[in-house]
Amino acid sequence: MGSKTKAMAQAEKRSPRVVSRQADTPGNVVQRTTVRSVAVTGAASVLGSDLLSALEDDPTWGRIVAIDIQSPTSMRSKSRFYEVDLTDARTEARLSEILAAEKVDTLVHLAFLASPTHAHAWTHEFESIGTGHTLAAARAAGVRAIVSLSQTWLYGARGTNPNYLRETHPLLADATEPYFRDKLEAEAHVQRLLRATSLYANASNDPSLTVTVLRAAPILGPRTHNFLTRYFGRKFVPTILGYDPLIQVLDERDAVRALRHAVRHPVSGIFNIASEGVLRLSKAIHAVGKTALPLPYPAVYSMAAAGWLAQLTEAPPSFLRYLRHMCVADTGLAKQKLGFEAHYSALDALVALRTLTAPSAVQEDRWLDRGVE
Amino acid sequence: MKAKKSSKTARRKAASQKAAPQKTEQKKAAAKASPIPTKSSAVASAKRSSKRPSTAHLEGVLNVVSDELEIRAPSNVPMLDEPRREVDRSGLADEFGRDEDYEKKVAPYLAWLFEKYFRVELEGLTNVPNDGPCILVANRAGPLPYDGVMLRIALLEHHDARRDLRWLADDFVCQAPFLGSAATRLGAVRACRENAERLLSRGMAIAVFPEGPSGGAKHFRDRYRITSFGRGGFVKLAIQSGAPIIPVAIVGAGEATPVMSQVNRLKKVLKLPAFPITPTFPWLGPLGLLPLPSKWQIVFGEPIQIGQFLGDRKEDESFVHDLTGNVQNRVETLLGDALRERRTTFFG
């Protein structure tokens, strides 16, 4: 802890300017050449805010550029917020102006929706086209490293999946589902850039741009709010009778650590990121302290379809695949090439989720006591 | 107009998702970021341990103190800079979903099936090495994978090294409701190259049934005839990993659930690899899936070290094909010998 405060003091010395929380126009920016700066899109999300504070603590970074439609709550001395709407047609020009003026050398692209919505047209603009804008702006502004978030669920849950999906496995998620289609398109944008830069780097032996794609397992934690935390938050959690797949999750703390690691040590490539280990779905529900409610597939399907139409449930019925079949990624490459290792297990993430929903029920439970005895 | 409205609500939704109630969360985040003993459990452990005359209660107090320190830490994402922490793997499932608790629960029934019902006789069990990767290649019979389960018990209970054998099951078994999760809890792994490579790289023993799903649908009169023996996937695995191949003959599984006939139309409608007609199925309903008490014999052959044949023909497809045929011959020989020795189906 002592080293942390020391690092912070150093960081404050480097950027003595007063924090400006209102949206700046690029014209006001003071040109600085000595400090490195990093930009985060989707900075107001829980993951983005956590990453901002992690980067604030890191003396490498003199300036953190937060990009979102609303100001992140975790802004400190080094952060500066720009209000940018990625669905805007003029985003690309504005974004590249900001990135160039702030001399951003690393861009972290987190502007993705964490849960499916009914506003399909808007999510398409935001995720697929917005990612295209962001990447084009980053190239125009001469950014040297891009870290983009993706999902392991894009591999799709299938009975024919191997138990551990490698990064080379094709992305077979249901492309008729808008939630996946937009994310698949966004990843296709990033992959195209990755291929182009790696070809160029091979030819010239100078990696002018590193592109890192982090395919994250579903992120869980008491601070995170997404469709999966709402699913596990139900008192009776519906599952499909006769199926009990192995599931993999990513603890929110590991998610921030992975992003920060990729920012510190940029390596070009695609990497699966997940917390350690897999669990049976039934055991995961038990770990969160809820009761599994196994129902026959046709019943669950019609309930989910009706619930989604009526906007009562958190996900469309095509997500039920993930309750029947496995979608587990192999994290070996991240360990080997990126040097990232998870600090938490899937069970840690699920148990932490339980403290949010039922703090009184936790105390006498064996799940929590395992570290003590 | 309508679309505009919905996009607005979506934006608001997204915004409300992002806006997190910070004040309470800082505390919670700090509490949960500590490695497992959180404040509440630490207090609980302090209460519990105060009954014992040890110094354990001090540990509880220390935990509480360190918790307090963490809450005062400046960042709301504390503990990110902690040194390398050993991940607590307790409570997690096995890498391939084998469930020890479940296996213990059903072990008495399976042991009864193994010893009293099928009266499995084992021969040449010492041919399976005590450690390191190896590939058992066996014949297949009967629509339900009793042979895989019995093979696993043979190595787990009767081999000197108590080897944790994983058997590769075809897609039908792994995807079937109830059967799929039960089989994977009992050590089945979906048969595919990636899974087999991973298991072998962990130094485990695996069992493959190269006849595949059609092996389970064989007619009664073909029960011990090997019709197809795959495309040599197991040979490629052996070349790659250097694991020895052990041919295995399983006698008795063919009579446990004898397939008298096939209903092809039902098989297509139900999307099954086979819809078998046996003396008891489908007449007795699910009860008809129970096996007949045939006498079983499992014979393990001499291990084949691929290296001695290999030389410089690593990439040679015809070599893979030849070796596949060689292994098939050995399994057939073992089967033939065992069948010749056997006098009756149900009494050995």
Side-chain angles (χ1 to χ4, degrees):
Chain A
M1 236 187 66
S3 66
K4 197 180 242 179
T5 48
K6 203 173 161 191
M8 276 185 55
Q10 272 177 4
E12 260 148 39
K13 234 182 259 169
R14 282 192 198 189
S15 64
R17 289 199 299 133
V18 194
V19 65
S20 60
R21 273 175 194 267
Q22 63 274 48
D24 279 9
T25 53
N28 299 347
V29 174
V30 183
Q31 298 292 326
R32 302 169 69 85
T33 46
T34 47
V35 290
R36 297 176 65 194
S37 50
V38 52
V40 181
T41 65
S45 63
V46 172
L47 188 58
S49 314
D50 286 0
L51 181 65
L52 285 194
S53 12
L55 294 172
E56 283 274 0
D57 294 340
D58 190 339
T60 324
W61 306 105
R63 162 60 47 88
I64 299 151
V65 180
I67 293 163
D68 207 310
I69 51 170
Q70 74 176 87
S71 172
T73 43
S74 62
M75 301 245 299
R76 294 212 305 272
S77 56
K78 290 192 279 180
S79 309
R80 176 180 286 230
F81 168 61
Y82 290 94
E83 189 185 326
V84 178
D85 185 354
L86 289 184
T87 59
D88 196 327
R90 289 160 305 168
T91 296
E92 193 181 319
R94 177 162 154 70
L95 207 54
S96 86
E97 230 175 280
I98 294 167
L99 297 178
E102 291 279 12
K103 297 208 179 310
V104 168
D105 65 38
T106 304
L107 173 77
V108 187
H109 185 41
L110 305 178
F112 294 101
L113 290 185
S115 305
T117 72
H118 288 272
H120 301 159
W122 179 76
T123 52
H124 180 72
E125 291 285 325
F126 176 60
E127 295 192 325
S128 171
I129 299 174
T131 300
H133 285 324
T134 310
L135 297 179
R139 291 207 83 180
V143 168
R144 293 183 62 83
I146 295 174
V147 179
S148 179
L149 191 67
S150 182
Q151 297 197 352
T152 57
W153 272 25
L154 297 187
Y155 292 116
R158 278 162 191 266
T160 50
N161 278 351
N163 280 44
Y164 291 89
L165 296 155
R166 297 210 189 105
E167 285 81 354
T168 47
H169 198 269
L171 299 177
L172 299 174
D174 184 1
T176 57
E177 182 59 54
Y179 177 77
F180 293 123
R181 187 192 58 212
D182 295 331
K183 287 183 169 59
L184 286 168
E185 284 175 10
E187 215 204 288
H189 284 303
V190 185
Q191 279 194 27
R192 217 170 297 139
L193 183 61
L194 174 63
R195 270 198 300 275
T197 52
S198 57
L199 278 177
Y200 178 74
N202 285 343
S204 68
N205 224 354
D206 166 39
S208 63
L209 175 65
T210 56
V211 180
T212 317
V213 179
L214 299 182
R215 283 195 190 135
I219 299 173
L220 282 186
R223 289 156 54 69
T224 306
H225 301 281
N226 57 28
F227 67 98
L228 214 60
T229 57
R230 285 197 287 280
Y231 170 75
F232 281 116
R234 290 164 177 268
K235 194 170 176 207
F236 292 99
V237 185
T239 60
I240 294 168
L241 191 66
Y243 292 93
D244 198 3
L246 293 167
I247 61 161
Q248 183 182 44
V249 299
L250 175 58
D251 192 300
E252 56 186 17
R253 293 162 287 184
D254 272 334
V256 181
R257 287 183 56 251
L259 285 169
R260 192 190 54 166
H261 185 92
V263 170
R264 267 190 194 163
H265 314 283
V267 179
S268 264
I270 303 171
F271 304 100
N272 295 327
I273 303 288
S275 287
E276 189 73 26
V278 288
L279 276 175
R280 293 262 172 204
L281 179 62
S282 58
K283 209 160 183 189
I285 293 168
H286 181 72
V288 188
K290 300 299 162 68
T291 312
L293 184 66
L295 295 167
Y297 180 68
V300 186
Y301 188 89
S302 44
M303 268 164 55
W308 179 244
L309 263 177
Q311 311 205 3
L312 292 173
T313 48
E314 53 271 0
S318 71
F319 279 53
L320 292 178
R321 263 171 194 276
Y322 294 86
L323 302 182
R324 285 178 82 175
H325 300 301
M326 275 193 303
C327 180
V328 173
D330 184 355
T331 55
L333 194 66
K335 247 174 233 170
Q336 203 185 74
K337 233 180 120 189
L338 191 65
F340 171 76
E341 272 184 73
H343 274 195
Y344 299 92
S345 76
L347 193 59
D348 290 336
L350 289 154
V351 169
L353 197 63
R354 138 182 265 199
T355 58
L356 179 77
T357 45
S360 58
V362 179
Q363 292 185 356
E364 295 300 314
D365 199 274
R366 66 193 177 99
W367 294 102
L368 270 184
D369 286 349
R370 67 203 179 112
V372 181
E373 304 266 312
Chain B
M1 190 62 211
K2 213 174 178 185
K4 206 173 177 186
K5 201 177 170 190
S6 70
S7 82
K8 251 186 193 169
T9 54
R11 216 173 298 181
R12 217 176 302 135
K13 253 188 204 167
S16 68
Q17 239 173 51
K18 285 166 182 171
Q22 283 290 311
K23 217 172 174 187
T24 51
E25 270 172 6
Q26 274 193 6
K27 205 170 170 185
K28 260 173 206 157
K32 96 187 155 43
S34 66
I36 281 308
T38 58
K39 197 174 174 187
S40 56
S41 68
V43 171
S45 80
K47 267 184 201 161
R48 244 179 293 129
S49 54
S50 65
K51 287 170 197 159
R52 287 179 235 141
S54 68
T55 54
H57 65 284
L58 283 178
E59 201 182 294
V61 172
L62 285 177
N63 277 338
V64 174
V65 171
S66 65
D67 264 15
E68 291 297 329
L69 287 176
E70 274 160 32
I71 289 166
R72 275 189 236 117
S75 161
N76 65 349
V77 196
M79 305 295 288
L80 274 174
D81 276 315
E82 76 217 73
R84 175 82 188 107
R85 160 183 184 275
E86 271 310 307
V87 180
D88 186 356
R89 289 195 58 90
S90 63
L92 288 174
D94 168 88
E95 224 183 0
F96 285 91
R98 184 183 69 98
D99 189 335
E100 218 170 314
D101 295 339
Y102 182 81
E103 208 167 27
K104 267 184 200 147
K105 222 188 297 171
V106 297
Y109 305 103
L110 292 179
W112 177 81
L113 208 59
F114 187 91
E115 277 155 25
K116 299 276 154 56
Y117 199 72
F118 291 140
R119 295 146 289 150
V120 183
E121 226 171 83
L122 301 171
E123 202 177 296
L125 199 55
T126 46
N127 284 328
V128 181
N130 282 344
D131 53 6
C134 60
I135 305 171
L136 276 65
V137 180
N139 63 314
R140 178 87 184 76
L144 285 180
Y146 288 109
D147 31 15
V149 178
M150 291 301 122
L151 202 54
R152 176 172 166 81
I153 296 175
L155 266 83
L156 196 62
E157 302 290 333
H158 300 275
H159 191 267
D160 291 337
R162 303 263 173 271
R163 292 216 65 169
D164 176 13
L165 172 88
R166 303 302 171 96
W167 45 286
L168 302 190
D170 48 59
D171 285 1
F172 158 69
V173 172
C174 288
Q175 291 176 21
F178 301 104
L179 178 62
S181 68
T184 49
R185 278 163 200 265
L186 292 176
V189 175
R190 187 186 158 253
C192 67
R193 199 187 169 88
E194 291 92 335
N195 285 349
E197 279 171 4
R198 198 176 174 97
L199 285 166
L200 289 174
S201 73
R202 299 276 189 278
M204 295 180 95
I206 65 171
V208 298
F209 300 95
E211 289 170 89
S214 63
K218 278 189 292 195
H219 193 273
F220 183 68
R221 67 170 170 265
D222 295 331
R223 62 197 181 280
Y224 296 122
R225 226 185 66 199
I226 291 172
T227 43
S228 67
F229 215 59
R231 288 160 295 176
F234 66 91
V235 174
K236 287 178 197 157
L237 278 173
I239 292 174
Q240 203 180 32
S241 65
I245 291 177
I246 298 152
V248 178
I250 302 175
V251 174
E255 288 91 358
T257 39
V259 178
M260 316 303 285
S261 177
Q262 289 275 355
V263 186
N264 281 329
R265 210 172 279 172
L266 271 174
K267 155 180 138 182
K268 270 176 203 154
V269 171
L270 297 173
K271 289 180 186 158
L272 295 173
F275 190 89
I277 305 289
T278 73
T280 51
F281 185 83
W283 328 119
L284 298 181
L287 263 181
L289 294 172
L290 293 177
L292 299 176
S294 58
K295 165 91 177 156
W296 281 40
Q297 193 180 12
I298 304 179
V299 187
F300 299 85
E302 298 261 320
I304 307 166
Q305 291 290 350
I306 290 286
Q308 67 192 37
F309 299 101
L310 192 58
D312 55 349
R313 294 180 292 176
K314 219 168 201 167
E315 304 292 321
D316 196 345
E317 275 293 321
S318 69
F319 170 68
V320 170
H321 189 256
D322 290 352
L323 209 61
T324 309
N326 189 319
V327 176
Q328 181 179 348
N329 283 344
R330 293 205 191 193
V331 173
E332 275 168 347
T333 315
L334 290 174
L335 258 178
D337 291 350
L339 283 170
R340 234 170 287 124
E341 277 172 32
R342 184 174 75 159
R343 279 159 305 164
T344 60
T345 305
F346 293 102
F347 303 104

